[in-house]
Amino acid sequence: MNEIIPAILPKDIQDLADKAAQLPLEIPFIHLDVLEEDIWAQINKSFEAHLMVESPEKIAGKWLERGAKRIIVHKVDDSIIKCRDKAEVGLGVEIDRPLEEFFPFLGFVDFIHLMSIEEIGEQRHPFDERIFDRIKEVKEKFPQLPISVDGGINLENYKKLQEVGVNRLIVGSHFKEIWNSLTKS
């Protein structure tokens, strides 16, 4: 089963509240992109927090207290591994970083979160086709590990990502288009 999860990259507290409120009621789960600035508003949906920060270990506990069901980090240490007692932990991997660097850590996380854009921290970047080779490599070496893909996902590529076995698609600016196509069929 593939999850298609809307991504919210809030500009401020009001923007987070507005974007969460605009999602269809049927959407049970959202992805929050967390940059260095702490932006939080109480939301009425389950969520994962993608901690795209220099020191995720300093704020992971705060996001767990807020109710995050999943935490995504780009580096793993003992304090992050301990978060697995309260939530799933995913390891985020940028498209230009060699996957081999991250293989030693995949036994300590619940899923891998592959970025499919070159620049993280902003929406509307183009989808990078290299992601398909990366997905294949992870599936060959870690067949039981769930895979999330994040960035540049749109109507033209989301089905192909599902077909190659991605478990979760994190969709930002094209979420409404994909959601509409799914609810019409």
Side-chain angles (χ1 to χ4, degrees), residues 61 64-65 67-70 81-88:
L64 292 173
E65 289 171 13
K69 304 292 185 210
R70 297 178 192 138
I81 293 169
K82 289 177 186 174
C83 291
R84 291 180 75 191
D85 294 341
K86 297 178 182 164
E88 287 183 47

Side-chain angles (χ1 to χ4, degrees), residues 15-43:
D15 187 48
L16 172 57
D18 291 346
K19 286 178 177 173
Q22 291 170 10
L23 291 171
L25 293 175
E26 302 91 339
I27 302 297
F29 201 83
I30 61 176
H31 173 97
L32 296 178
D33 285 322
V34 179
L35 303 176
E36 292 296 336
E37 186 176 346
D38 187 23
I39 297 173
W40 173 246
Q42 192 64 40
I43 51 178

Side-chain angles (χ1 to χ4, degrees), residues 9-179:
L9 176 61
K11 295 179 214 145
D12 54 40
I13 293 169
Q14 189 61 51
D15 187 48
L16 172 57
D18 291 346
K19 286 178 177 173
Q22 291 170 10
L23 291 171
L25 293 175
E26 302 91 339
I27 302 297
F29 201 83
I30 61 176
H31 173 97
L32 296 178
D33 285 322
V34 179
L35 303 176
E36 292 296 336
E37 186 176 346
D38 187 23
I39 297 173
W40 173 246
Q42 192 64 40
I43 51 178
N44 294 322
K45 296 194 181 283
S46 294
F47 68 93
E48 63 188 18
H50 185 181
L51 306 180
M52 296 183 285
V53 298
E54 191 63 36
S55 301
E57 71 281 358
K58 292 180 180 177
I59 64 169
K62 182 188 305 187
W63 285 95
L64 292 173
E65 289 171 13
R66 292 171 175 171
K69 304 292 185 210
R70 297 178 192 138
I71 297 285
I72 301 161
V73 295
H74 289 258
K75 58 184 176 180
V76 176
D77 67 14
D78 289 340
S79 65
I80 295 297
I81 293 169
K82 289 177 186 174
C83 291
R84 291 180 75 191
D85 294 341
K86 297 178 182 164
E88 287 183 47
V89 173
L91 180 57
V93 180
E94 295 91 341
I95 193 87
D96 288 325
R97 302 271 313 267
L99 281 172
E100 297 78 26
E101 284 181 27
F102 297 90
F103 288 167
F105 304 103
L106 295 181
F108 301 102
V109 297
D110 299 293
F111 63 98
I112 188 167
H113 188 84
L114 299 174
M115 300 304 299
S116 49
I117 55 176
E118 287 187 24
E119 286 186 51
I120 65 172
E122 295 178 21
Q123 291 185 344
R124 300 194 185 279
H125 283 282
F127 182 79
D128 192 321
E129 294 284 332
R130 293 180 293 168
I131 194 67
F132 293 106
D133 290 335
R134 294 169 73 80
I135 293 165
K136 181 180 178 186
E137 186 175 354
V138 170
K139 289 190 116 356
E140 287 172 359
K141 291 187 173 31
F142 302 91
Q144 301 304 316
L145 190 67
I147 300 173
S148 291
V149 172
D150 182 354
I153 299 171
N154 58 34
L155 277 172
E156 288 76 44
N157 58 36
Y158 88 94
K159 287 182 183 175
K160 186 174 179 187
L161 287 163
Q162 288 178 317
E163 289 167 4
V164 298
V166 172
N167 304 90
R168 300 177 186 133
L169 303 175
I170 310 306
V171 184
S173 52
H174 293 281
F175 179 78
K176 286 181 183 175
E177 293 169 2
I178 293 172
W179 177 256

